[in-house]
Amino acid sequence: MLVEQELGNYWIQNLSLSHSLSPITMDRFNDSNAPQVIQLQQHDQTTHRQENRIPSTYPFKVQEPNSPRFSPPPTSLFLRNLSRNLFYLHFSLITILLTALTIRSLISAHHPLSLSPPLLASIACSAATALLFHFLTLHNPSRALRAAFWLSPLLTCAVGILLVSVGSAASLAVATTALVSAVAQSLYSCWVSTRFDHAAQVLSAAMSPPPTKSAALVVLTVAACTVYSGFVAVGICGATVAGGGLEAVFVLVILVSLAWTMHVIRNVVQVAESRVKYMSFACGMDLETSVAFLDAIKDSLGSVCVGSVLVPVLGLVRGSARAIRSVSGDIDEFMFSCANCYSGVASRLITYGNRWGFVHVGVYNKGFVQASTDTWEMFRRVGLEPVIDSDLTSSFCFLCGVASGGVSALVGGSWALAVHNGYATAISIYAFLIGYFMCRVAMAWPQACVSAYHVAYAENPQSHRFDPTIPVRIEELHRSRAQPSRPTHTTEF
């Protein structure tokens, strides 16, 4: 009797302890005791374990919501702290510069109040357009995809026509660039139109179900970017009318700072949201968006700052390499060999800096270069690289940004053309850039979902949580490769 009573107390304690354990820990606990105690539940536990087990390709255990983050190596930690401190230092200096320019212009004979309203109106329109694209993507990905690919060249062409009407030499040069870009975007949209259905399926599968409080995070980040962009707009106007011979340098520094800051904000959102979706795809866990966002700021900001510099630069190199390779073809042997060499270098560089690395930055707290390398090598190992190359999510988000920038440029440029013709070109450019970056911040959530979807699938393709979207796409690519007369186009913005 005493033995039975002690045994009963033992199992009661274990049962109460199980309520405080995570699902993965319970699986391991059941694995070690089920053969000795409960044989009848072995089949159910095996099935549950297959759904929640961590794939063998994982370099670390998946982070649980309340578990401590992994500590990075000392060298990686030093580099992260250095890049994070540089970002904070740059942000402090640019804030001082913007404040000084604004005060100087206000106490001088000229003031930026007459130039600020067009830019501020364009910023408000860019925020509304960014949120519109975000919620349209959330509720109808197929329609949002087609709207971005067809509206972007039309709005870019409209901006070019507006700049032609300004009549100055600078406006004509910018207008020519805009019109050529509109033609290129139209040709690209026609070229990849056969991939719209697959891209819409990927967006639908990756964003379903949406993480809790993700919409609130998007609205808050867009609101923060709106306030910051308004501050930048007033500072730019102050630098423009203040004179002194250094206004061009000040404006260039402000725009570079704006680009880096917006990229950092966007990638912080991407790290947080990709971690939430990854946990859902890989383990079936629901991680709060607010927790992931705070962890991204606290632990991953240094890696995000590095990635915010590397991803645009290396992405531009890879895109130019693909364009040169497509144009060169097999016409000239020397040109083809140079294009092939440049493409090889670009393919090697993209291994060290790609947007899919942000998933491992958030989940495993890796450094950005290590995360990018591990992720890309995993894609190659499982044969998922052709699917990644043919994905349109990056192009979709890019064209959403271009469309939003076009709306902002039309609003700000038209207002400036009616009030201050001499500043219409500059204000159109500033409004376009702000509108583009604002929309990219809002579209970080769909891009993070798709990135987490691909990374989680590559780590465990046998998981029952994935629909047949990716396997079907792999089969389509294999069939297209088997037909030499119908090449697969993989050029992407």
Side-chain angles (χ1 to χ4, degrees), residues 304-316 349-350 352-354 368-369 372:
V304 168
C305 293
V306 175
S308 300
V309 176
L310 290 181
V311 170
V313 174
L314 298 184
L316 180 62
L349 289 177
I350 202 66
Y352 301 105
N354 55 79
F368 179 74
V369 175
S372 300

Side-chain angles (χ1 to χ4, degrees), residues 154-174:
L154 292 176
L155 291 172
T156 305
C157 181
V159 172
I161 295 174
L162 173 66
L163 293 174
V164 168
S165 64
V166 175
S168 64
S171 66
L172 290 177
V174 179

Side-chain angles (χ1 to χ4, degrees), residues 89-170:
L89 177 62
H90 126 271
F91 190 79
S92 301
L93 293 177
I94 205 68
T95 301
I96 296 173
L97 176 62
L98 291 173
T99 305
L101 290 174
T102 303
I103 295 175
R104 178 187 175 188
S105 61
L106 287 174
I107 63 177
S108 63
H110 303 282
H111 57 82
L113 297 180
S114 59
L115 298 180
S116 298
L119 265 181
L120 295 178
S122 65
I123 290 172
C125 289
S126 66
T129 306
L131 293 176
L132 178 62
F133 269 114
H134 171 80
F135 287 109
L136 182 60
T137 305
L138 178 62
H139 295 289
N140 197 330
S142 179
R143 183 172 297 180
L145 188 76
R146 285 168 170 78
F149 274 87
W150 299 121
L151 284 178
S152 177
L154 292 176
L155 291 172
T156 305
C157 181
V159 172
I161 295 174
L162 173 66
L163 293 174
V164 168
S165 64
V166 175
S168 64

Side-chain angles (χ1 to χ4, degrees), residues 95-362:
T95 301
I96 296 173
L97 176 62
L98 291 173
T99 305
L101 290 174
T102 303
I103 295 175
R104 178 187 175 188
S105 61
L106 287 174
I107 63 177
S108 63
H110 303 282
H111 57 82
L113 297 180
S114 59
L115 298 180
S116 298
L119 265 181
L120 295 178
S122 65
I123 290 172
C125 289
S126 66
T129 306
L131 293 176
L132 178 62
F133 269 114
H134 171 80
F135 287 109
L136 182 60
T137 305
L138 178 62
H139 295 289
N140 197 330
S142 179
R143 183 172 297 180
L145 188 76
R146 285 168 170 78
F149 274 87
W150 299 121
L151 284 178
S152 177
L154 292 176
L155 291 172
T156 305
C157 181
V159 172
I161 295 174
L162 173 66
L163 293 174
V164 168
S165 64
V166 175
S168 64
S171 66
L172 290 177
V174 179
T176 303
T177 304
L179 293 175
V180 172
S181 176
V183 173
Q185 292 173 43
S186 301
L187 294 176
Y188 180 77
S189 299
C190 296
W191 192 15
V192 300
S193 59
T194 56
R195 287 191 268 160
F196 284 174
D197 292 335
H198 171 72
Q201 292 175 4
V202 170
L203 283 170
S204 299
M207 294 188 300
S208 179
T212 58
K213 301 181 180 178
S214 60
L217 177 61
V218 172
V219 172
L220 289 176
T221 52
V222 170
C225 291
T226 302
V227 174
Y228 175 70
S229 299
F231 183 51
V232 169
V234 174
I236 288 178
C237 293
T240 302
V241 302
L246 294 177
E247 60 271 12
V249 177
F250 288 152
V251 170
L252 180 61
V253 170
I254 293 172
L255 292 179
V256 172
S257 172
L258 174 69
W260 192 24
T261 303
M262 288 294 198
H263 274 100
V264 169
I265 296 174
R266 174 171 71 93
N267 291 329
V268 167
V269 175
Q270 186 165 345
V271 166
E273 295 288 0
S274 62
R275 182 186 174 197
V276 173
K277 290 300 295 184
Y278 177 92
M279 299 298 289
S280 177
F281 288 130
C283 307
M285 292 183 178
D286 293 329
L287 180 63
E288 290 188 6
T289 304
S290 58
V291 174
F293 184 71
L294 293 177
D295 285 343
I297 296 176
K298 180 180 65 175
D299 298 333
S300 306
L301 185 59
S303 298
V304 168
C305 293
V306 175
S308 300
V309 176
L310 290 181
V311 170
V313 174
L314 298 184
L316 180 62
V317 171
R318 194 182 190 217
S320 62
R322 287 180 168 184
I324 293 174
R325 184 91 181 260
S326 300
V327 172
S328 64
D330 298 327
I331 298 176
D332 183 77
E333 184 178 354
F334 175 75
M335 185 176 181
F336 175 75
S337 62
C338 293
N340 192 25
C341 179
Y342 183 54
S343 178
V345 173
S347 298
R348 184 61 180 172
L349 289 177
I350 202 66
T351 304
Y352 301 105
N354 55 79
R355 65 180 183 275
W356 293 276
F358 287 118
V359 180
H360 277 192
V361 169

Side-chain angles (χ1 to χ4, degrees), residues 1-18:
M1 273 309 278
L2 183 59
V3 174
E4 293 179 357
Q5 184 177 1
E6 291 180 354
L7 184 60
N9 293 333
Y10 170 77
W11 283 111
I12 289 174
Q13 293 174 359
N14 284 338
L15 183 59
S16 62
L17 178 63
S18 65

